[in-house]
Amino acid sequence: MAVVVVGAGIAGLACARELVDAGVPARVVERDTRVGGRLASERIGGRWVDTGAAYLTADDPSFLGRLQTWRIDGLARPWTDTLRGQAGPPTMRWAAPGGLNSLAADLARSLEVTLGVDVTSLPAADAVVLAMPGPQARAIADLPAAWEQSWSPVVTAVLTYAQRSWPDFAGSFVNDHPILATVIDDGDRRGDRAPVLVAHSTASFAADRTDPGPAMAKAVSELLDVGDPVSVETRYWPYASPRPGHGGFARHGDVYLCGDAFGRPRVQTAWLSGRAVARAILQRTVR
């Protein structure tokens, strides 16, 4: 059996990793120039900044084990269990010293990954895994499960300041704000105390994203009582937050759809979804 995984986010990489480790040939095709999807990190101002997902959480034993392995390898670390404005009990958030994208790069090691290729139709293979948001999958195959998904956009703003002028805090959920959803102290998250904040917008603000940087910078300044940043860089994520779904993944014949829309929208869900698809394919190989 040969498998093609379309999408090199954490769901696709987890799927391919599980298949290859079990001896099933799998290759990954990704339209971007690097792996990771929303596990995105960029070099800004000479240091890594997470511009996609803000952190990882784990309550599944297998994913917690994956995090512990990354911790032993020096790729991930427990960061904080408390963010301002959070509801419910403390939840440990994990960060990555080299950026969250380094975790995706680790999953991709030794996999056959082709980057910079935009797939517009189903590849020829015994099984095809579409590891992506439903709206993107619909451009490749008309899957009923893809039409059931609903996604919201987010704008990420990286705000660099001349110096740290705010009291120490890990991050904050900004409840009921028209512009801001979360603000993360990236110097605290990365552990280098750099004067960098990363803000994530609300979906309604992202939907009308004409020059979002100044408005987000102003909102952060008012929220934390800090001056103007020396630079602002923004990134737009059209499919950042799915409506919570269920089922782990969807299958239509030899085509599978997976990702973080199949559960609570977080990195753990995407990893579990991709692994579940791989295990379903492996069950076919032993029949």
Side-chain angles (χ1 to χ4, degrees), residues 127-256:
V128 176
V129 181
L130 301 181
M132 62 187 65
Q136 293 178 325
R138 295 201 305 262
I140 301 173
D142 188 17
L143 306 178
W147 287 96
E148 295 172 1
Q149 295 183 10
S150 177
W151 290 75
S152 299
V154 164
V155 174
T156 300
V158 179
L159 313 169
T160 302
Y161 296 81
Q163 60 184 2
R164 293 179 66 89
S165 60
W166 52 85
D168 287 342
F169 79 113
S172 177
F173 293 109
V174 191
N175 301 312
D176 302 319
H177 196 281
I179 295 176
L180 302 174
T182 59
V183 178
I184 301 297
D185 183 340
D186 197 64
D188 187 84
R189 175 171 60 183
R190 192 71 57 243
D192 61 1
R193 294 188 58 79
V196 178
L197 300 173
V198 178
H200 302 270
S201 78
T202 61
S204 59
F205 178 80
D208 182 17
R209 65 185 195 282
T210 304
D211 193 18
M216 293 184 72
K218 183 175 184 292
V220 170
S221 295
E222 292 174 349
L223 178 72
L224 299 178
D225 192 23
V226 296
D228 295 331
V230 296
S231 69
V232 180
E233 297 196 28
T234 60
R235 303 291 182 267
Y236 175 65
W237 297 94
Y239 307 114
S241 180
R243 182 181 60 203
H246 57 85
F249 64 90
R251 177 185 176 186
H252 303 278
D254 294 327
V255 181
Y256 297 80

Side-chain angles (χ1 to χ4, degrees), residues 27-46:
R27 63 185 182 93
V28 182
V29 183
E30 168 60 48
R31 70 177 182 179
D32 204 347
T33 56
R34 64 185 307 183
V35 302
R38 281 178 288 123
L39 281 188
S41 310
E42 299 179 43
R43 296 286 290 184
I44 298 176

Side-chain angles (χ1 to χ4, degrees), residues 263-280:
R264 291 174 55 194
R266 53 181 178 163
V267 175
Q268 174 182 276
T269 300
W271 186 86
L272 290 171
S273 179
R275 192 184 66 156
V277 167
R279 293 186 173 186

Side-chain angles (χ1 to χ4, degrees), residues 17-143:
R17 179 84 275 153
E18 188 88 2
L19 290 169
V20 170
D21 288 350
V24 173
R27 63 185 182 93
V28 182
V29 183
E30 168 60 48
R31 70 177 182 179
D32 204 347
T33 56
R34 64 185 307 183
V35 302
R38 281 178 288 123
L39 281 188
S41 310
E42 299 179 43
R43 296 286 290 184
I44 298 176
R47 61 188 294 279
W48 287 109
V49 180
D50 291 320
T51 56
Y55 48 76
L56 311 181
T57 59
D59 55 20
D60 178 88
S62 57
F63 188 61
L64 184 58
R66 175 71 266 179
L67 287 178
Q68 294 293 358
T69 298
W70 279 328
R71 181 183 189 179
I72 292 169
D73 293 341
L75 297 177
R77 69 180 183 94
W79 168 41
T80 182
D81 65 359
T82 304
L83 297 181
R84 294 179 184 175
Q86 75 180 31
T91 300
M92 179 55 66
R93 279 91 177 171
W94 290 67
L100 291 177
N101 189 260
S102 66
L103 308 182
D106 182 67
L107 281 178
R109 279 189 303 114
S110 76
L111 294 179
E112 181 185 349
V113 181
T114 303
L115 300 174
V117 175
D118 191 6
V119 177
T120 57
S121 60
L122 286 173
D126 297 304
V128 176
V129 181
L130 301 181
M132 62 187 65
Q136 293 178 325
R138 295 201 305 262
I140 301 173
D142 188 17
L143 306 178

